[in-house]
Structures are given as C-alpha cells and as structure tokens.
Amino acid sequence: MDWIAIIQILDSTMRLATPLLLACLAGLYSERAGVFDIGLEGKILAAAFFSAGAAALSGSVWIGLAAGMTASVFLSLVHGLASITFRGNQLISGVAINFLAAGLTVVIAENWFRMGGRTPSLTGDARFQRLTLPFAEQLADVPVIGPLYSVLLSGHSILVYVALLCVPLTWWVLFRTRFGLRLRAVGENPAAVDTAGVSVIWLRYAAVMIAGVLCGLAGAYLATGLAAGFVKDMSAGRGFIALAALIFAKWRPWHALGAVFLFGFLEAVANRYQSIDLGGVTVPVQFMEALPYILTVVILAGFVGRAVPPKAGGAPYVKER
Amino acid sequence: MATRRLPHWVDVVFVPLLSILIAFVISGVVIWYVGQDPVRAVQVMVNGALGSSYGWGYTLYYATNFMFTGLAVAVAFQARLFNIGGEGQALLGGLGVALVCLYLPWPHWSLALIAATLGAALFGAAWAAVPGYLQARRGSHIVITTIMFNFIAAALLNWALVTQLRPTGSMDPSSPRFPEETRLPRLHEMLDLFGIPFSRATPANVTLLVALLACVLVWYLLWRTRLGYQIRAFGHSEQAAVYAGISPVRITMYVMVISGALAGLMAINSVLGAQGRLVLNAVEGAGFIGIAVALMGRSHPFGVFLAAMLFGFLYQGGGELAFEMSIPRELVVVIQALVILFTGALDNLVRMPIERVWAALQRRRA
C-alpha cells in the first residue's frame, strides 16, 4: 500500500467519522446529564430526510440544515417529554423515536416527492460544497506533507470542520464551565444538584436539546454533505455505532474523537477492500463491519478497561416531598 | 398515596386502550396529512386483513411471528430486563433451523418440526445467553449489548449465507431449498381435513399452533412454577428477591435463555414454514415488533396473544394500504412507533390524569 492509498483511506475515514462524531457528542451531552439516548439513530435519520427534503424544495442547503435540526430537536423534545417530564422509560422512548423516524421519513418522502421514499439528487447550492483550505493547491505537489494537507485536511465540507471544533468546545463546556459542572452532576447525583437549588428538569432538557442540535448536524451532513440526497434508512446503524463509540470513549470528548476515527477507519477499509489478507489469514468484510460492535461488547464486558456510565443514567428524577 | 391506587381493570385494560387510541388517532392524522382519508384507510385495512381467508392467512402468519418475539420480550420484561436483541436471536434461530434442515435427513415433517424447534431455540438461546452472562457477571448493560449483538448477528448471517451456505453459482445470498420432506403443512391443508375451505396462497402454517402452545407454556411458567415466581419477584424488586435467597445471576441467565429461545422459535414460522430456505432478511423486523407487542400486552401471555393479532392485522392491512391507496407500507412502522411511545414511554401521560380523576372520585365518595 503506498502513501497515496493510505491518504485516501484516511480521507474517507475523516468523512465517515464526521456523522459518528457529531452523534457521539450528542449522546455524550445527553448521557452525561443522566438521560440515556438510544434514539440517536432516529434523530440522525429524521434530520437527514428533512435537510435533504427542504434543500431539494428550497434549493438552499442552509434552509435544509435548519429544517433537519428542527426535526431532530423536535424528536429530542419528545424524548425529553417522555423521559424527563413523564418519567417514562428512556430506553423505550428511544426505541419509539427510532421507529418513528424510520416510518415517517419514508411516508413523508413519498408524499412530497413520489420517488419511492427518496428525495431528488441534490446539486449546486442544495449541497454542502467542499472547502479548499488556503495554499492547498500550491502545496499539493510537495512530497509527503503535500497530500496530507491538500487531500486529507483540505477539501471537506464545512460541517466536517464544525464537528472537529465541537470536540474542544464540548470539553470546555463540560469541564470548564459552571453549566458543564452542573450537567455532569445531574447525571451522577441529581438530588445533590436539586438541593443546591438548581433545576434538574431544566438541565436535563438543555442536555437533550443540545443532543438534538448535534444529531441534526450529523443527519444534515449525511444527506447533504456525504451523500447527495436522502434514501430510505440511510443512517444505516450510525446512531448505534456512535453509541458504541461513546461507550468506547467512556463518555469523554477527546476519547470520543479517537473512537469515531477508529470506527470510521474500519468502515473506510471495509468499503475499499472486500476482504483483507493478513499474513495468510483472510478477514472477511463482514467481520470488519461487525468489529465496532464486537469491540464495544469487549469494552463493556470490562475485559479491556472498564466502561462505567454516569451513575444516575436511565433513572427519572423524582423530587422528594 | 393510597387513594391514588387504580383498580386492576383500569390499570391493565383502560389505560392501555386509551394509549392505543391516542396512537391510532395520531396515525390517522398522518394519513390525513399525506392526503388520504383515514376512515377509508381503516376500511381498506380491515377488508384486506380480515375480509378474506387470504387476508386472514397472512394476518395469522404475521401474528405467529409476533407471538414468539412478543413473548420473548415479555418474559424478559417480567424480570425487568429489556431484551432488544430479539432480531438477532431470531436471525440466529433461522441459522439453527437451516443447519438442522439442510445437513440432517428427516423422513417426515413432524420430526423436522421438532428438530427445527430445538435448533431454533438452541441458537436463539445461545445468542441471548452471552449478553445475559455479561449482564449478570460483568454488569454490562443488557440493552446495549443486545443491540450490539443484533448487528453482529446480521454480519454473521451475511457471512454465513454469502460464503458458506449459498450454492455455488447462485447470485442470491440465500441457502439452498430445504428437502421436500421438511415442508410444514400449511393452514389450508390442515383445515381441509375438517372440510373448511381456506386460501391456498398464504404462508400460514402449523407453526401457529406451536406459537399458541408457547403462549400457554409461558403463562404456566410465569404463574404456576417456582422459577416463574422467582422471575416475577426478581422483576418486582431485586433487593427483596436477593433477600429471599433468589440468585440474580441465575435468574438473569434463565430469563435470557428462555427469552432468546422464544425469539429464535420465530424462525420456524418464517424460515421453515414460509420460505423453505434461509434468506438474508428472514426476520423482517419482527424482533423489534416484539417490543411493541410486549408493551401493549402488558407482558402477559394473553395480552401478547391479543397484541400479536392486532399487529398481524396491522401488517397485513398495511400491505393492502400500499396497494390500494398509495400509502407506503412504512405507515405500519409509524403506528408501531406510536404504540411503543404511548403504551411504553409516555404511559404516565395517560395514567397521571386518570389517577388524579380517580383520586377525586374517591374523595367525593368518602
């Protein structure tokens, strides 16, 4: 394998990791505040459809992005209503949201476009264009670092850079602000936060809303950046891979970046090669596809470094009387 | 708080019915939004699913699948374990059925049925046992592990079909056909014995009786055996159960094995009964519908039976909607989601106001 091939795989890793990263950070906010979110998948899917649909109808990718984020935040509100206000089961609510998105996107897509549950292909301003970083063309011919800069770092859509910036931002918000401290506290010991006179309900809603915004970005990138339009079930389990990455990262932002790059890399390799020959042993492509899930189970089982979720995760908070 | 306790019938009948009603009304709004008439949609569904023996055949076929997967989720719910892995367990059950039917000779369908039952149950149980063990011994959250196992199962089945079971030269990723002797009797053949005419074109088969038997056996297990009592006690309060000498590890393992076996059994109906071979998409989401069925059936086998019939009706009727009214099949997924949302997660939305009304009534009476 030569340098260019490696760069190409890493370049595609970057693209594939972006929706995972955004969804993973979404889950991070929600779960750090004590609200399990297995509805990431559904929110990504809903955002993907509404961003592509609105972009196709309006011709503007920014209107698409707004529509996608609105859809995702709406589903977050449903999740908040069920799991915070009505103290329902957060896991069941997540399952319902996934199905709601899977069904509604196709039913509405068929109604709007009559193309068998797809949107028309997006072109021009209805898609996120690739940004060329400064000097990318001049540096392209420089050996080694040329391709590194002009292929790997330059030439992505703006959402890729937004996603990358979200990592330090999330770290800063969670670990360097008062809001972040309270948000983490509410996921570990909500009664203590309540005693301090801070609203548990409000904090959890805030976290769930942030998760909605980030999933909205993930879905919009999927349908208007990575692909050119929506197709049925296009999230294809990414919400669950993001969930896996979140566990892999043990609910920490920088580790999340590492985890999604690992999982994105696996996907990129699986896309490029049908089977991989490792010194006489042939690894089937299906194994590569299953590897993120297998790794997550291994991590969860605590055989390699134990993953301990936030303590109050999954439990609705009932104020003492 | 004592006055707030609802009578039993309100709890198990009235609240769920109201929740389902809300789910259906919102589904009606969706139908209206896509420019169709909800009343006509209901007529088309009733007619398509129950108006002919052909419709009934499909309704019963789907209901059979959902009884198995619904029971699987319900048994786990009784122990307060959430098994989302029905889909993967059913896929593995399909693999078990295929291996038993392809590699062992069976002189008669009844023997093949017994063998397929064992194969499906064994494979499904094994696939559920791993997450069960990890939950019981290592404390890994069973919801996450069973989700992961669904994806691993899909990849495993894909690999098995593409590289191992597929006959050489075939493009289609599916196993060869099972031998003719293993073909299960279809519902119309069984009814012919009694002289009742029934459509010959439906996949409903003898597995329906196995599913009904499974409902009865699960009821017996949960309410008439020592293990069932322990399972329910464990689900009620883990601490109290431990105090009473019930081992959480043992109960978790038993429950997951039973749950996985039930999910796996679904494959007899679809893989052996309907298809006669193992295909890539053998489960068709039935594992997930089991969640809606169990929630709606309040985790009771009789409730699961009723809910499975309702979802069988929705599935067959939903297919007819796609034919007659150009409403996509996915509408059924929307209904399913709303049922899960309102009977499961938003249960308190209905329950809290009813409790308040009930408490007010009690006060007036007192």
Side-chain angles (χ1 to χ4, degrees):
Chain A
M1 219 186 322
D2 55 7
W3 181 237
I4 292 298
I6 293 172
I7 290 286
Q8 278 170 349
I9 290 181
L10 291 179
D11 179 53
S12 124
T13 299
M14 188 99 127
R15 289 171 214 285
L16 294 168
T18 297
L20 298 179
L21 179 58
L22 288 163
C24 186
L25 293 174
L28 186 76
Y29 278 100
S30 186
E31 302 210 348
R32 276 283 185 164
V35 181
F36 280 157
D37 195 350
I38 56 174
L40 295 174
E41 175 83 1
K43 279 181 275 202
I44 297 174
L45 189 62
F49 167 69
F50 281 97
S51 60
L57 293 176
S58 69
S60 157
V61 71
W62 295 103
I63 293 179
L65 179 65
M69 278 164 57
T70 310
S72 171
V73 169
F74 172 76
L75 289 181
S76 276
L77 265 176
V78 172
H79 189 53
L81 199 68
S83 51
I84 305 170
T85 306
F86 286 106
R87 305 197 288 266
N89 187 319
Q90 300 169 1
L91 300 164
I92 293 174
S93 167
V95 170
I97 283 169
N98 288 338
F99 287 126
L100 199 59
L104 271 185
T105 49
V106 177
V107 171
I108 298 179
E110 186 58 23
N111 182 242
W112 285 5
F113 302 108
R114 310 230 169 268
M115 295 176 76
R118 294 189 305 121
T119 62
S121 289
L122 303 173
T123 50
D125 286 341
R127 261 193 94 186
F128 278 107
Q129 300 302 323
R130 297 173 171 204
L131 298 182
T132 310
L133 296 186
F135 309 115
E137 280 170 28
Q138 288 88 326
L139 283 170
D141 296 329
V142 179
V144 185
I145 61 155
L148 198 65
Y149 182 75
S150 59
V151 178
L152 183 55
L153 288 178
S154 171
H156 295 289
S157 83
I158 187 160
L159 290 184
V160 174
Y161 304 109
V162 169
L164 290 175
L165 283 179
C166 278
V167 177
L169 186 70
T170 300
W171 173 82
W172 184 77
V173 167
L174 282 179
F175 296 97
R176 287 293 178 273
T177 66
R178 182 151 56 164
F179 171 75
L181 176 68
R182 287 173 173 175
L183 191 139
R184 284 181 293 129
V186 101
E188 299 287 340
N189 190 347
V193 178
D194 202 14
T195 312
V198 182
S199 165
V200 174
I201 304 285
W202 187 88
L203 272 168
R204 287 196 166 168
Y205 263 105
V208 167
M209 294 294 108
I210 295 172
V213 169
L214 288 169
C215 281
L217 289 172
Y221 175 71
L222 207 56
T224 60
L226 197 61
F230 173 85
V231 290
K232 183 182 161 181
D233 287 332
M234 80 178 299
S235 48
R238 283 189 172 83
F240 293 111
I241 299 229
L243 209 59
L246 182 61
I247 295 160
F248 213 76
K250 299 177 188 171
W251 294 268
R252 288 175 294 191
W254 286 106
H255 294 70
L257 183 66
V260 296
F261 266 110
L262 174 63
F263 291 174
F265 178 73
L266 291 175
E267 195 185 342
V269 172
N271 284 351
R272 195 178 163 105
Y273 305 101
Q274 273 309 296
S275 57
I276 296 125
D277 201 16
L278 289 177
V281 184
T282 313
V283 181
V285 67
Q286 291 90 355
F287 181 75
M288 297 294 290
E289 283 163 8
L291 202 51
Y293 307 110
I294 296 173
L295 287 175
T296 305
V297 171
V298 171
I299 288 284
L300 263 177
F303 294 125
V304 191
R306 197 158 180 74
V308 182
K311 223 179 189 165
Y317 179 64
V318 186
K319 214 179 172 80
E320 267 182 81
R321 286 181 190 277
Chain B
M1 293 294 271
T3 50
R4 282 209 157 188
R5 281 292 297 273
L6 293 172
H8 192 60
W9 66 270
V10 176
D11 191 45
V12 296
V13 180
F14 188 67
V15 172
L17 278 183
L18 210 57
S19 301
I20 293 163
L21 192 67
I22 297 175
F24 283 169
V25 168
I26 297 180
S27 309
V29 172
V30 173
I31 295 175
W32 169 79
Y33 171 78
V34 299
Q36 302 282 355
D37 178 10
V39 178
R40 196 167 153 244
V42 173
Q43 284 167 351
V44 167
M45 286 177 87
V46 170
N47 213 3
L50 310 174
S52 63
S53 71
Y54 173 83
W56 268 102
Y58 269 95
T59 299
L60 289 172
Y61 165 72
Y62 290 126
T64 307
N65 286 340
F66 304 154
M67 275 181 227
F68 285 122
T69 55
L71 285 174
V73 180
V75 167
F77 270 155
Q78 287 287 354
R80 208 170 285 182
L81 290 168
F82 190 4
N83 175 14
I84 304 194
E87 193 80 5
Q89 290 143 19
L91 275 176
L92 262 284
L95 191 60
V97 169
L99 294 179
V100 162
C101 292
L102 284 173
Y103 295 110
L104 297 172
W106 300 105
H108 190 256
W109 66 262
S110 56
L111 294 175
L113 177 62
I114 294 169
T117 305
L118 290 175
L122 203 68
F123 271 63
W127 202 247
V130 183
Y133 175 83
L134 293 177
Q135 161 90 43
R137 284 279 181 206
R138 318 280 316 184
S140 338
H141 203 301
I142 202 150
V143 171
I144 307 291
T145 42
T146 48
I147 290 176
M148 300 298 142
F149 266 63
N150 281 340
F151 286 101
I152 301 172
L156 180 67
L157 202 75
N158 192 339
W159 172 79
L161 283 177
V162 170
T163 65
Q164 307 295 315
L165 293 175
R166 176 169 61 174
T168 38
S170 160
M171 290 304 288
D172 190 20
S174 67
S175 80
R177 292 213 155 270
F178 302 156
E180 186 54 31
E181 296 80 48
T182 64
R183 210 184 74 89
L184 297 183
R186 295 281 163 102
L187 196 57
H188 69 86
E189 292 164 322
M190 289 151 61
L191 290 173
D192 273 348
L193 299 177
F194 303 98
I196 303 168
F198 198 82
S199 168
R200 310 189 150 264
T202 80
N205 60 76
V206 66
T207 318
L208 173 64
L209 301 180
V210 181
L212 294 174
L213 184 68
C215 287
V216 176
L217 287 179
V218 167
W219 171 82
Y220 185 83
L221 168 80
L222 286 173
W223 275 275
R224 288 292 179 272
T225 67
R226 191 192 179 90
L227 177 65
Y229 181 78
Q230 292 179 335
I231 289 173
R232 288 183 297 125
F234 179 75
H236 235 72
S237 161
E238 185 175 337
Q239 277 161 332
V242 171
Y243 189 68
I246 298 169
S247 152
V249 174
R250 190 172 145 265
I251 294 297
T252 305
M253 286 309 292
Y254 269 118
V255 165
M256 284 309 286
V257 164
I258 294 168
S259 176
L262 285 165
L265 288 181
M266 189 220 119
I268 322 171
N269 191 40
S270 64
V271 175
L272 181 57
Q275 300 277 352
R277 59 183 186 144
L278 184 60
V279 296
L280 207 49
N281 185 19
V283 180
E284 296 178 66
F288 293 120
I289 294 164
I291 300 168
V293 169
L295 282 171
M296 215 167 129
R298 282 292 187 268
S299 305
H300 189 286
F302 185 65
V304 166
F305 165 75
L306 290 179
M309 290 299 288
L310 179 76
F311 268 93
F313 156 77
L314 285 176
Y315 244 65
Q316 171 54 16
E320 294 294 312
L321 278 185
F323 264 129
E324 299 224 353
M325 293 178 73
S326 70
I327 300 174
R329 261 202 98 93
E330 278 74 10
L331 181 75
V332 181
V333 181
V334 176
I335 300 177
Q336 173 194 339
L338 291 168
V339 167
I340 295 177
L341 189 65
F342 284 99
T343 58
L346 278 172
D347 187 55
N348 277 335
L349 175 80
V350 177
R351 191 175 297 270
M352 280 173 174
I354 291 181
E355 276 176 348
R356 227 164 283 147
V357 171
W358 185 259
L361 285 178
Q362 292 296 90
R363 261 198 304 277
R364 193 168 301 169
R365 211 173 292 168

